[in-house]
């Protein structure tokens, strides 16, 4: 790796809009190439981080963002009800997934909830790698009624076919 292009994981986290731990997880999973420096320090290429930040969402991630956009509309209309349900889901899921990677993402959702509705809305809608990963471990189960969820998924499928047809 070109040492002029190397940055520490903390700087990479700032560029990606995520936690330093998420960058470490990306390195450990092989999704972000890294080199080790003195001790346990990891360095990544700035160009790799910027490329990751520009990477479009996958179909699954974009579909999840559409569902969470519908949830966001529920959140702004009925914040107390939605947040109470999400906190109950978080408590239940956290007990089931204690000690797993899912627990990490659920912890980030808890942090967002503790920070307030604006932070939750950001996580629901953002295209950052961290927000996309958070939505894959969402505590928002049951917020949308089945018919509304189905309508969002049908709309997304039409959108995907129209915009991503080969």
């Amino acid at each position: 790796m070109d040492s002029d292009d190397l940055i520490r994981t903390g700087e990479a986290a700032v560029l990606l809009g995520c936690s330093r731990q998420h960058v470490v997880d990306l390195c450990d999973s092989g999704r972000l190439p890294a080199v080790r420096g003195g001790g346990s320090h990891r360095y990544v290429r700035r160009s790799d981080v910027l490329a990751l930040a520009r990477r479009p969402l996958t179909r699954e991630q974009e579909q999840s963002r559409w569902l969470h956009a519908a949830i966001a509309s529920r959140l702004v209309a009925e914040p107390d009800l939605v947040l109470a349900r999400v906190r109950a889901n978080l408590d239940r899921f956290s007990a089931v997934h204690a000690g797993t990677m899912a627990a990490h993402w659920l912890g980030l959702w808890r942090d967002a909830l503790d920070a307030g509705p604006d932070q939750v809305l950001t996580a629901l809608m953002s295209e950052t790698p961290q927000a996309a990963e958070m939505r894959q471990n969402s505590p928002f189960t049951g917020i949308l009624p089945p018919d509304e969820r189905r309508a969002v998924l049908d709309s997304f499928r039409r959108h995907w076919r129209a915009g991503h047809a080969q």
Side-chain angles (χ1 to χ4, degrees), residues 3-156:
S3 63
D4 291 339
D5 192 34
L6 293 179
I7 58 174
R8 293 179 75 159
T9 54
E11 188 176 347
V14 170
L15 292 172
L16 291 172
C18 67
S19 69
R20 189 196 63 76
Q21 183 59 51
H22 182 63
V23 174
V24 169
D25 293 342
L26 290 171
C27 295
D28 290 347
S29 70
R31 292 175 50 200
L32 185 61
V35 295
R36 293 242 182 209
S40 63
H41 296 292
R42 291 177 184 84
Y43 295 89
V44 295
R45 282 196 309 248
R46 178 184 299 276
S47 55
D48 288 342
V49 172
L50 294 175
L52 182 63
R54 288 189 300 269
R55 186 176 298 161
L57 296 176
T58 65
R59 182 186 192 283
E60 180 182 63
Q61 290 169 331
E62 191 170 336
Q63 176 179 286
S64 181
R65 195 165 70 90
W66 276 58
L67 284 167
H68 284 81
I71 290 167
S73 70
R74 289 280 174 147
L75 175 62
V76 298
E78 302 176 275
D80 294 337
L81 175 66
V82 170
L83 294 176
R85 286 183 183 171
V86 171
R87 283 194 187 280
N89 286 344
L90 261 177
D91 292 342
R92 192 173 68 250
F93 296 167
S94 294
V96 170
H97 298 289
T100 69
M101 194 60 203
H104 167 73
W105 300 111
L106 294 172
L108 292 178
W109 277 116
R110 191 173 304 280
D111 293 345
L113 285 170
D114 291 346
D118 289 336
Q119 189 65 33
V120 174
L121 285 171
T122 297
L124 290 171
M125 299 299 304
S126 175
E127 290 190 33
T128 66
Q130 179 173 328
E133 292 289 338
M134 286 174 70
R135 286 190 296 268
Q136 297 305 310
N137 296 275
S138 176
F140 289 85
T141 303
I143 300 299
L144 295 178
D147 58 329
E148 188 175 337
R149 185 178 189 282
R150 209 170 10 263
V152 171
L153 291 172
D154 289 345
S155 177
F156 173 76

